Amino acid sequence: MAEGLMKKFYGHRAYVQSAGVRNDLEIDGFAVAVCAEMGVELQRHRVRSFDDMHQWGDDISGFDLIVALSPASQRRALELTGTFHLDVEYWPILDPTGLGETREAKLASYRQARDQIVDRMIARFGPPTEA
């Protein structure tokens, strides 16, 4: 969600690449649905890990900032960046996976996580420059 929202709000102002600790998960349908509500298309998004990024030629030292949305991704980012001069920020965002009994309750959890990401982005990077 964060990569799609960042690209929607700030366009080409920054190079954005999302990665997680693992890549064994498909893009979550609930994440796709709640981002679509804001005009953010995630259906073609591919889930990547930090290791995938390295294998595909993305040099982590070329980034200025890593924003971690989970404690596990924060730990991995800090492990990978110990010798580089770049910032790692941890944004404690609700993990909506597994929350809610009904479809509507699950969507509400995903909307809450999406909105937390949006709030943190705006606080960190300012008002969106794109619509």
Side-chain angles (χ1 to χ4, degrees):
M1 286 194 287
E3 178 182 348
L5 291 164
M6 186 76 178
K7 288 178 177 176
K8 166 97 173 148
F9 287 174
Y10 303 104
H12 298 289
R13 185 171 134 186
Y15 177 69
V16 179
Q17 194 67 255
S18 71
V21 177
R22 301 185 331 251
N23 69 346
D24 59 348
L25 303 173
E26 294 296 318
I27 187 71
D28 189 298
F30 290 109
V32 171
V34 300
C35 283
E37 294 171 353
M38 296 185 73
V40 175
E41 192 274 316
L42 294 183
Q43 288 197 333
R44 293 187 307 246
H45 181 77
R46 181 164 176 190
V47 177
R48 296 174 285 266
S49 69
F50 285 111
D51 294 331
D52 290 336
M53 287 181 64
H54 178 71
Q55 290 175 359
W56 298 342
D58 274 319
D59 181 3
I60 202 163
S61 68
F63 290 87
D64 297 317
L65 173 67
I66 294 176
V67 174
L69 303 182
S70 74
S73 63
Q74 179 190 28
R75 279 190 303 278
R76 183 69 175 133
L78 290 170
E79 288 169 7
L80 293 170
T81 62
T83 60
F84 303 125
H85 182 67
L86 67 124
D87 294 326
V88 176
E89 291 183 9
Y90 171 55
W91 294 357
I93 302 298
L94 169 78
D95 179 359
T97 57
L99 297 179
E101 298 284 324
T102 65
R103 175 175 167 68
E104 209 39 58
K106 289 180 185 299
L107 285 169
S109 295
Y110 277 79
R111 287 182 188 111
Q112 183 179 356
R114 177 202 62 200
D115 294 346
Q116 287 176 347
I117 293 168
V118 167
D119 291 345
R120 292 300 297 251
M121 280 182 184
I122 292 171
R124 175 66 166 85
F125 302 110
T129 56
E130 314 251 330

